[in-house]
Amino acid sequence: MMASEALLDTVGEAASDAPVVKLRRLTKTFGDHAVLRDLTLDIGPAEFVALLGRSGSGKSTLLRVLGALDGDVTGDILVPSQRAIVFQEARLFPWHRVLRNVLMGLPRSVDFRERALSALQEVGLSHRLRAWPRTLSGGEAQRVALARALVRTPQLLLLDEPFGALDALTRLRMHGLLRDLYARHRPAVLLVTHDVDEALQLADRILVLHEGRIALDTPVDLPSHQRHTNPRFAVLRARLLSELGVAQD
């Protein structure tokens, strides 16, 4: 059976405590190869979920399915119509200035312009709204991408390794910014990452995908600040690395 159209884009009509994402027996194949296999998953309102897995495990495919960028699946899918995606590359249009990039694809109105200005202020770029993308640093470009997502007031924010191309110091700064934005706007978040420490620092729940199936689903039962200093951090980190097949000394 193909993905159920009756379940698509219906979250806004559901009870406020109903899952924002609801997948049942989701399967995605490329030729004879099943990338996602009978996958069942719920993501609740304002839940921050990180998705780990080895290369080729199906992480980005799952994110693309949830973002309606990849079809031809079987199973039932419920996702909100208000969703936004931030990729590893900022994907800004070089022929448009920052403000126009944030507003790309939206109606031209005073309301959306004000929302875009507010979003740029939230990411610390109100002074760069007339800058060209080529003049931005990598971190600034990703902040523009986050502002572009925020303007759409998403119920579901999909992040596909958004900080993977940044240097270590910039990544740490972006982690803090993302946590602040998440606390302020409270969308459901699915973060795809290869970085176990990033997942532990940001998420409230971590999934490990293995050969198209969820091999581990665990809450991150750690205080939101200074997680890495908590003794349970090392225990959970070791468990995740073991699940990913990473040998430890």
Side-chain angles (χ1 to χ4, degrees):
M1 128 180 112
M2 299 301 293
S4 171
E5 294 295 333
L7 281 179
L8 285 169
D9 299 339
T10 60
V11 170
E13 301 170 5
S16 59
D17 60 346
V20 171
V21 171
K22 186 174 182 180
L23 307 179
R24 295 294 180 268
R25 303 197 67 183
L26 176 69
T27 297
K28 168 70 179 179
T29 60
F30 290 103
D32 295 330
H33 176 58
V35 180
L36 302 173
R37 305 165 184 262
D38 288 329
L39 194 146
T40 292
L41 173 65
D42 287 349
I43 299 177
E47 188 175 18
F48 197 130
V49 179
L51 182 62
L52 294 167
R54 305 181 196 186
S55 295
S57 62
K59 301 186 304 298
S60 291
T61 299
L62 175 58
L63 182 137
R64 290 177 62 83
V65 168
L66 295 179
L69 298 177
D70 207 337
D72 193 22
V73 297
T74 62
D76 293 330
I77 308 172
L78 181 147
V79 290
S81 56
Q82 286 180 263
R83 55 187 180 266
I85 307 178
V86 179
F87 297 96
Q88 183 171 341
E89 306 84 18
R91 301 194 179 189
L92 304 181
F93 294 94
W95 54 86
H96 288 305
R97 298 179 192 267
V98 164
L99 180 60
R100 189 71 244 156
N101 265 282
V102 174
L103 287 167
M104 187 58 59
L106 297 174
R108 295 201 175 201
S109 70
V110 173
D111 177 60
F112 276 113
R113 180 181 171 83
E114 290 301 316
R115 282 162 59 176
L117 292 172
S118 177
L120 285 168
Q121 184 175 21
E122 284 191 84
V123 300
L125 288 178
S126 56
H127 64 297
R128 300 285 272 155
L129 60 93
R130 290 194 55 77
W132 295 104
R134 66 176 180 273
T135 69
L136 302 176
S137 67
E140 286 175 329
Q142 284 301 84
R143 282 190 273 163
V144 175
L146 281 173
R148 183 170 56 192
L150 290 176
V151 163
R152 286 152 175 80
T153 58
Q155 290 177 281
L156 174 63
L157 179 59
L158 302 166
L159 304 171
D160 193 2
E161 299 190 65
F163 312 131
L166 304 178
D167 64 82
L169 184 58
T170 303
R171 287 186 76 171
L172 289 176
R173 291 171 177 161
M174 292 298 290
H175 289 170
L177 174 62
L178 178 58
R179 286 298 300 185
D180 289 344
L181 294 173
Y182 166 70
R184 195 174 302 132
H185 295 274
R186 305 295 290 172
V189 178
L190 180 66
L191 167 69
V192 169
T193 179
H194 281 96
D195 189 332
V196 169
D197 290 336
E198 181 172 80
L200 285 168
Q201 287 290 352
L202 293 173
D204 305 311
R205 177 183 166 205
I206 296 177
L207 310 175
V208 176
L209 202 62
H210 179 66
E211 295 183 351
R213 292 189 173 95
I214 295 174
L216 179 67
D217 183 345
T218 181
V220 182
D221 187 19
L222 299 170
S224 58
H225 297 291
Q226 300 297 319
R227 289 185 172 189
H228 64 282
T229 62
N230 191 291
R232 286 176 292 165
F233 182 97
V235 174
L236 184 52
R237 184 177 187 272
R239 182 184 179 194
L240 292 169
L241 288 172
S242 175
E243 194 69 44
L244 292 166
V246 178
Q248 300 179 75
D249 296 331

